[in-house]
Amino acid sequence: RLSHLMRYMLYSNSDNKITMGNEIEFLNSYMEIQKLRFGELDITTTIDVINPEIRIVPMLLIPLLENAYKHGTGTVEEPQIKIVLATSSSGVLQFTVTNRFNIASNASTEPKGIGLQNVRKRLGYLYEDKHELTILEDDDVFTTNLTLKL
């Protein structure tokens, strides 16, 4: 699994776009590795992609999933992550990741990461007027929702 992830990261970036099927396979491999790392977690995954041959910029979705594992495990007593990936017949992709997080550790004085900032910049550059990224923090629940016109 790890070698598959590494190959994907090295070679998929040489292509401008890859299939949704390949991106889904990458996300699934990442989640399998995280399962080895953390053991069984309360993770709900719903994937409803009408056409796996739709093309997307590679590694666009992974930072949102990584963020959920980074902040939604470890310091959280009962980790929960919910992932929904869907496409419509009109070519709209919806990717929502929700995770519980520890409010106390989130309020630390450590500098915040740059992952979500980089996602915003990348979306602005690659999908300028064809995306909406919303980030919601409600009590101990963090949600990122990406809507993308492919």
Side-chain angles (χ1 to χ4, degrees):
R1 291 240 182 230
L2 184 58
S3 65
H4 174 262
L5 288 176
M6 298 301 288
R7 274 192 304 277
Y8 185 85
M9 288 188 297
L10 287 172
Y11 299 117
S12 70
N13 284 326
S14 64
D15 297 330
N16 288 336
K17 292 190 176 179
I18 48 101
T19 66
M20 270 308 301
N22 286 342
E23 188 76 351
I24 291 168
E25 188 178 324
F26 177 70
L27 294 173
N28 284 331
S29 291
Y30 178 83
M31 289 187 288
E32 285 298 317
I33 286 177
Q34 294 301 333
K35 189 184 294 184
L36 292 172
R37 179 179 176 200
F38 293 108
E40 289 298 320
L41 298 173
D42 184 2
I43 298 179
T44 306
T45 305
T46 305
I47 298 177
D48 184 17
V49 173
I50 293 172
N51 179 2
E53 297 302 313
I54 310 172
R55 299 187 70 75
I56 186 173
V57 172
M59 299 183 63
L60 187 64
L61 307 178
I62 192 66
L64 303 177
L65 186 56
E66 287 174 334
N67 198 52
Y69 277 96
K70 178 180 178 183
H71 299 288
T73 57
T75 62
V76 177
E77 281 189 35
E78 295 178 23
Q80 294 176 339
I81 299 174
K82 182 178 180 184
I83 302 145
V84 178
L85 175 60
T87 58
S88 69
S89 57
S90 61
V92 175
L93 175 141
Q94 193 79 33
F95 186 57
T96 304
V97 182
T98 305
N99 62 279
R100 293 187 57 236
F101 69 96
N102 184 324
I103 295 172
S105 69
N106 192 50
S108 74
T109 57
E110 291 182 29
K112 301 288 182 192
I114 60 169
L116 291 176
Q117 291 174 19
N118 285 341
V119 170
R120 285 188 192 281
K121 287 179 185 177
R122 196 165 176 223
L123 285 167
Y125 176 70
L126 297 168
Y127 292 96
E128 187 175 355
D129 295 323
K130 298 180 179 180
H131 78 280
E132 181 179 350
L133 177 64
T134 56
I135 300 168
L136 302 169
E137 239 180 86
D138 186 22
D139 292 327
D140 68 342
V141 177
F142 190 86
T143 303
T144 56
N145 183 51
L146 173 63
T147 305
L148 189 64
K149 177 72 176 154
L150 300 173

